Amino acid sequence: MTDDATRTLGKGSAPPGPVPEGLIRLYSMRFCPYAHRTRLVLQAKGIRHEVININLRNKPEWYFTKHPFGHIPVLENSKGQLIYESVIACEYLDDAYPGRKLYPYDCYERARQKMLLELFYKVPHLTKECLVTLRCGRGCADLKLALRQEFCNLEEILGYQNTIFFGGDCISMIDYLFWPWFERLDVYGIADCVNHTPALRLWIAAMKQDPTVCALLIDKNIFLGFLNLYFQNNPDAFDYGLSC
Amino acid sequence: MSGGSARSLGKGEACPPRSAATLRRVSGPGPGGRAAPERSHAGGSAPPGPVPEGLIRVYSMRFCPFAKRTLLVLKAKGIGHEVININLKNKPEWFFKKNPFGLVPVLENSQGQVIYESAITCEYLDEAYPGKKLLPDDPYEKACQKMVFELFSKVPPLLLSFLRRQNKEDCSGVKEELHKEFSKLEEVLTNKKTTFFGGSSLSMIDYLIWPWFEWLITLELNEYVDHTPNLKLWMEAMMKDPAVSSLFIDPKAFRGFLDLYLQNNLEACDYGL
């Protein structure tokens, strides 16, 4: 069980106190892909942290003091400093904490990873649209075609580099920034979108062997349970699968 | 200005030898004046040769605000560089090998490494070259600059949309949106109680957002910051910066360019040359 297995806070909940020294706090939601990025970095770098899950359909009033639009993920440290936007949060963690560096040291290689992120920018929107369309009982052939095209672009990168991971022979930041959407392909019902991209499939397999990715893998049945409730507009969706 | 096309090199011609006439070297902190900009490279031109050691090359366009970001950083850090302008209305085929998106700015160094996306080029220059650091070392302060950058992100498309509509349809909706976005930036300055977006001295975030505020000045739209006094003061402070003032666009040239550009005229990018 991951350390974010706590019930969400919603409207009417009391605001949490300050973040204890030696910890960093993440405002999150167990199934959100953007927050997933930040949780991967926290895990990969072994950063001591606490997670507060937010009920995204019923946001606490106090949460808007953490983010003007109530988005997640948001980091809060013991100085009360707030950092948001998932990519900014991930880079902050890599800069602020010692140990394993997820971004490369070389400034050109760092720039390359940021350019790769630009290539990825259509994927989140397309995967979400596929999910919503399928759940509404409509076909999403056009969307899947567009998504396959994006995957072909990524396939080309792996082919050109001739490496397993997007940053080279070892896993690095860019792989973690991409991963959450690939983990969701199966549960969203669009796993066949990687049928024609063998290097990407190899990358997915290699990612599933990574200890960090494994530690945070979401159980398929729990995810499906969440999705079912979410699409019924049930506010309890976000706590699906919690025993407490 | 003649009606002829940009200096053309036919397809398949060998790349001409590098010479002072072919490549305008714009060196680091030199005396005042800039080297004369060369005409843009267009469809049919031969690809340029490799970048000479000791220089970095920027593929640019004289009036592009995104490329302006990179030029400002090059100037502010005194980085020796050469500029190759691209005709954005008639792009040379070879340019897509530098950037598959076909956009400026693009950096190319003497190792043949290519970096694109304006914000990425600026950060790369700050990290790769010595001298004054434009991005803060403190991870939180650096993250703050990136959060302000996100806050600013709606301004470029809004301003472009506003310029496209001017004198045509009613653009009061766009005006209102612009006011809203400027108010967000005003709030940052008010909360920070500093002149610049990164603190008491000018830093990366100021250069990254500057080019669109330069448009307000060149197009005499200063009234758009009338209700945001801190933003107005910031603009005045920016105008005093040596990099900003040395790269300031000539208002007549910009208007001339804009008129042609909005009509999709192939000569737009070379207006005034």
Side-chain angles (χ1 to χ4, degrees), chain A residues 195-225:
Chain A
N195 279 358
H196 303 290
T197 46
L200 208 47
R201 284 203 307 278
L202 278 171
W203 173 77
I204 291 172
M207 289 297 282
K208 284 186 176 161
Q209 307 245 324
D210 178 68
T212 301
V213 167
C214 284
L216 301 183
L217 266 173
I218 306 169
D219 177 89
K220 183 174 180 177
N221 289 320
I222 293 183
F223 210 128
L224 283 171

Short mmCIF file of all heavy atoms in Angstrom, two decimals, chain A residues 195-225:
data_model
loop_
_atom_site.label_atom_id
_atom_site.label_comp_id
_atom_site.label_asym_id
_atom_site.label_seq_id
_atom_site.Cartn_x
_atom_site.Cartn_y
_atom_site.Cartn_z
N ASN A 195 0.28 -0.83 -30.47
CA ASN A 195 0.48 -2.05 -31.25
C ASN A 195 1.56 -1.91 -32.32
O ASN A 195 2.24 -2.89 -32.65
CB ASN A 195 -0.83 -2.47 -31.93
CG ASN A 195 -1.75 -3.22 -30.98
OD1 ASN A 195 -1.37 -3.45 -29.82
ND2 ASN A 195 -2.93 -3.58 -31.44
N HIS A 196 1.69 -0.72 -32.88
CA HIS A 196 2.62 -0.55 -34.00
C HIS A 196 3.92 0.14 -33.58
O HIS A 196 4.66 0.63 -34.43
CB HIS A 196 1.95 0.26 -35.11
CG HIS A 196 0.68 -0.40 -35.58
ND1 HIS A 196 0.67 -1.57 -36.29
CD2 HIS A 196 -0.61 -0.05 -35.39
CE1 HIS A 196 -0.58 -1.92 -36.54
NE2 HIS A 196 -1.38 -1.02 -36.01
N THR A 197 4.18 0.23 -32.28
CA THR A 197 5.38 0.93 -31.81
C THR A 197 6.17 0.01 -30.88
O THR A 197 6.06 0.11 -29.65
CB THR A 197 4.99 2.24 -31.09
OG1 THR A 197 3.92 1.98 -30.17
CG2 THR A 197 4.52 3.29 -32.09
N PRO A 198 6.99 -0.89 -31.46
CA PRO A 198 7.71 -1.88 -30.65
C PRO A 198 8.70 -1.29 -29.65
O PRO A 198 8.82 -1.79 -28.53
CB PRO A 198 8.45 -2.74 -31.69
CG PRO A 198 8.43 -1.95 -32.95
CD PRO A 198 7.24 -1.06 -32.90
N ALA A 199 9.42 -0.23 -30.04
CA ALA A 199 10.40 0.37 -29.11
C ALA A 199 9.68 0.96 -27.90
O ALA A 199 10.15 0.87 -26.76
CB ALA A 199 11.22 1.44 -29.82
N LEU A 200 8.50 1.52 -28.16
CA LEU A 200 7.71 2.09 -27.08
C LEU A 200 7.22 0.98 -26.15
O LEU A 200 7.20 1.12 -24.93
CB LEU A 200 6.53 2.86 -27.68
CG LEU A 200 5.94 4.04 -26.89
CD1 LEU A 200 7.01 4.98 -26.37
CD2 LEU A 200 4.96 4.81 -27.78
N ARG A 201 6.85 -0.16 -26.75
CA ARG A 201 6.41 -1.31 -25.92
C ARG A 201 7.56 -1.81 -25.06
O ARG A 201 7.38 -2.17 -23.89
CB ARG A 201 5.85 -2.43 -26.79
CG ARG A 201 4.45 -2.13 -27.33
CD ARG A 201 3.71 -3.41 -27.69
NE ARG A 201 4.46 -4.28 -28.57
CZ ARG A 201 4.53 -4.13 -29.89
NH1 ARG A 201 3.89 -3.14 -30.48
NH2 ARG A 201 5.24 -4.99 -30.61
N LEU A 202 8.77 -1.82 -25.63
CA LEU A 202 9.95 -2.24 -24.86
C LEU A 202 10.20 -1.26 -23.71
O LEU A 202 10.58 -1.66 -22.61
CB LEU A 202 11.19 -2.28 -25.76
CG LEU A 202 11.37 -3.54 -26.60
CD1 LEU A 202 12.50 -3.37 -27.59
CD2 LEU A 202 11.64 -4.76 -25.70
N TRP A 203 10.01 0.01 -24.00
CA TRP A 203 10.17 1.03 -22.97
C TRP A 203 9.16 0.83 -21.84
O TRP A 203 9.52 0.86 -20.66
CB TRP A 203 10.01 2.43 -23.59
CG TRP A 203 10.00 3.55 -22.58
CD1 TRP A 203 11.09 4.09 -21.94
CD2 TRP A 203 8.86 4.26 -22.10
NE1 TRP A 203 10.68 5.09 -21.08
CE2 TRP A 203 9.33 5.23 -21.17
CE3 TRP A 203 7.49 4.20 -22.37
CZ2 TRP A 203 8.47 6.13 -20.50
CZ3 TRP A 203 6.63 5.08 -21.70
CH2 TRP A 203 7.12 6.03 -20.78
N ILE A 204 7.91 0.55 -22.20
CA ILE A 204 6.87 0.30 -21.20
C ILE A 204 7.27 -0.88 -20.31
O ILE A 204 7.17 -0.82 -19.09
CB ILE A 204 5.50 0.05 -21.86
CG1 ILE A 204 4.99 1.34 -22.52
CG2 ILE A 204 4.48 -0.47 -20.85
CD1 ILE A 204 3.73 1.16 -23.36
N ALA A 205 7.77 -1.94 -20.96
CA ALA A 205 8.17 -3.14 -20.21
C ALA A 205 9.33 -2.81 -19.27
O ALA A 205 9.36 -3.26 -18.11
CB ALA A 205 8.57 -4.25 -21.17
N ALA A 206 10.29 -2.02 -19.77
CA ALA A 206 11.43 -1.65 -18.94
C ALA A 206 10.99 -0.77 -17.78
O ALA A 206 11.47 -0.91 -16.65
CB ALA A 206 12.47 -0.92 -19.79
N MET A 207 10.05 0.12 -18.03
CA MET A 207 9.53 1.00 -16.97
C MET A 207 8.86 0.17 -15.88
O MET A 207 9.02 0.44 -14.69
CB MET A 207 8.52 2.00 -17.54
CG MET A 207 9.12 3.09 -18.43
SD MET A 207 10.29 4.17 -17.55
CE MET A 207 9.14 5.24 -16.66
N LYS A 208 8.15 -0.87 -16.28
CA LYS A 208 7.44 -1.69 -15.29
C LYS A 208 8.39 -2.47 -14.40
O LYS A 208 7.99 -3.00 -13.37
CB LYS A 208 6.47 -2.64 -16.00
CG LYS A 208 5.22 -1.94 -16.49
CD LYS A 208 4.20 -2.93 -17.07
CE LYS A 208 2.93 -2.20 -17.46
NZ LYS A 208 2.11 -2.96 -18.40
N GLN A 209 9.67 -2.55 -14.83
CA GLN A 209 10.68 -3.20 -14.01
C GLN A 209 11.34 -2.22 -13.04
O GLN A 209 12.10 -2.61 -12.15
CB GLN A 209 11.80 -3.76 -14.91
CG GLN A 209 11.31 -4.65 -16.01
CD GLN A 209 11.80 -6.06 -15.83
OE1 GLN A 209 12.91 -6.28 -15.38
NE2 GLN A 209 10.96 -7.02 -16.16
N ASP A 210 11.11 -0.92 -13.23
CA ASP A 210 11.75 0.07 -12.38
C ASP A 210 11.15 0.03 -10.98
O ASP A 210 9.93 0.06 -10.83
CB ASP A 210 11.59 1.47 -13.00
CG ASP A 210 12.19 2.55 -12.14
OD1 ASP A 210 13.43 2.58 -12.01
OD2 ASP A 210 11.43 3.36 -11.57
N PRO A 211 11.97 -0.03 -9.94
CA PRO A 211 11.44 -0.13 -8.57
C PRO A 211 10.51 1.03 -8.19
O PRO A 211 9.50 0.81 -7.50
CB PRO A 211 12.69 -0.13 -7.68
CG PRO A 211 13.85 -0.20 -8.57
CD PRO A 211 13.43 -0.08 -9.99
N THR A 212 10.84 2.23 -8.66
CA THR A 212 9.99 3.38 -8.34
C THR A 212 8.62 3.25 -8.97
O THR A 212 7.59 3.45 -8.31
CB THR A 212 10.67 4.68 -8.84
OG1 THR A 212 11.94 4.80 -8.21
CG2 THR A 212 9.82 5.89 -8.52
N VAL A 213 8.60 2.91 -10.25
CA VAL A 213 7.34 2.74 -10.96
C VAL A 213 6.52 1.64 -10.29
O VAL A 213 5.32 1.81 -10.02
CB VAL A 213 7.58 2.41 -12.45
CG1 VAL A 213 6.31 1.92 -13.11
CG2 VAL A 213 8.13 3.63 -13.18
N CYS A 214 7.18 0.51 -9.99
CA CYS A 214 6.50 -0.61 -9.35
C CYS A 214 5.87 -0.25 -8.02
O CYS A 214 4.76 -0.65 -7.71
CB CYS A 214 7.49 -1.75 -9.09
SG CYS A 214 7.89 -2.63 -10.55
N ALA A 215 6.63 0.52 -7.23
CA ALA A 215 6.15 0.87 -5.88
C ALA A 215 4.85 1.66 -5.95
O ALA A 215 4.05 1.62 -5.02
CB ALA A 215 7.21 1.68 -5.16
N LEU A 216 4.61 2.37 -7.06
CA LEU A 216 3.44 3.23 -7.15
C LEU A 216 2.38 2.71 -8.12
O LEU A 216 1.38 3.38 -8.34
CB LEU A 216 3.85 4.65 -7.58
CG LEU A 216 4.85 5.38 -6.67
CD1 LEU A 216 5.09 6.78 -7.18
CD2 LEU A 216 4.35 5.44 -5.24
N LEU A 217 2.60 1.52 -8.70
CA LEU A 217 1.64 0.98 -9.67
C LEU A 217 0.25 0.88 -9.04
O LEU A 217 0.09 0.35 -7.94
CB LEU A 217 2.06 -0.43 -10.12
CG LEU A 217 2.90 -0.52 -11.40
CD1 LEU A 217 3.36 -1.95 -11.60
CD2 LEU A 217 2.11 -0.07 -12.61
N ILE A 218 -0.74 1.39 -9.77
CA ILE A 218 -2.10 1.38 -9.23
C ILE A 218 -2.79 0.09 -9.65
O ILE A 218 -2.77 -0.28 -10.83
CB ILE A 218 -2.88 2.61 -9.75
CG1 ILE A 218 -2.11 3.90 -9.46
CG2 ILE A 218 -4.27 2.66 -9.12
CD1 ILE A 218 -2.67 5.12 -10.16
N ASP A 219 -3.42 -0.58 -8.70
CA ASP A 219 -4.15 -1.81 -8.98
C ASP A 219 -5.24 -1.55 -10.01
O ASP A 219 -6.03 -0.60 -9.88
CB ASP A 219 -4.75 -2.32 -7.67
CG ASP A 219 -5.58 -3.57 -7.89
OD1 ASP A 219 -5.01 -4.66 -7.83
OD2 ASP A 219 -6.81 -3.43 -8.16
N LYS A 220 -5.30 -2.41 -11.04
CA LYS A 220 -6.22 -2.19 -12.16
C LYS A 220 -7.69 -2.16 -11.71
O LYS A 220 -8.47 -1.33 -12.15
CB LYS A 220 -6.01 -3.28 -13.21
CG LYS A 220 -6.90 -3.09 -14.43
CD LYS A 220 -6.57 -4.08 -15.54
CE LYS A 220 -7.51 -3.84 -16.74
NZ LYS A 220 -7.22 -4.70 -17.88
N ASN A 221 -8.04 -3.08 -10.81
CA ASN A 221 -9.44 -3.15 -10.38
C ASN A 221 -9.85 -1.93 -9.58
O ASN A 221 -10.98 -1.45 -9.69
CB ASN A 221 -9.69 -4.42 -9.57
CG ASN A 221 -9.65 -5.65 -10.47
OD1 ASN A 221 -10.14 -5.62 -11.60
ND2 ASN A 221 -9.04 -6.71 -9.98
N ILE A 222 -8.92 -1.45 -8.77
CA ILE A 222 -9.22 -0.25 -7.99
C ILE A 222 -9.39 0.93 -8.93
O ILE A 222 -10.29 1.76 -8.78
CB ILE A 222 -8.13 0.00 -6.93
CG1 ILE A 222 -8.17 -1.13 -5.89
CG2 ILE A 222 -8.30 1.36 -6.27
CD1 ILE A 222 -7.20 -0.99 -4.74
N PHE A 223 -8.52 1.01 -9.92
CA PHE A 223 -8.61 2.11 -10.89
C PHE A 223 -9.95 2.06 -11.63
O PHE A 223 -10.62 3.08 -11.80
CB PHE A 223 -7.44 2.06 -11.88
CG PHE A 223 -7.02 3.41 -12.39
CD1 PHE A 223 -5.71 3.82 -12.33
CD2 PHE A 223 -7.95 4.29 -12.94
CE1 PHE A 223 -5.31 5.07 -12.79
CE2 PHE A 223 -7.56 5.55 -13.40
CZ PHE A 223 -6.24 5.93 -13.32
N LEU A 224 -10.34 0.86 -12.05
CA LEU A 224 -11.62 0.71 -12.75
C LEU A 224 -12.77 1.11 -11.85
O LEU A 224 -13.73 1.76 -12.28
CB LEU A 224 -11.80 -0.72 -13.25
CG LEU A 224 -10.99 -1.05 -14.50
CD1 LEU A 224 -11.06 -2.56 -14.80
CD2 LEU A 224 -11.49 -0.27 -15.71
N GLY A 225 -12.67 0.72 -10.56
CA GLY A 225 -13.71 1.10 -9.60
C GLY A 225 -13.82 2.61 -9.48
O GLY A 225 -14.92 3.18 -9.46
#
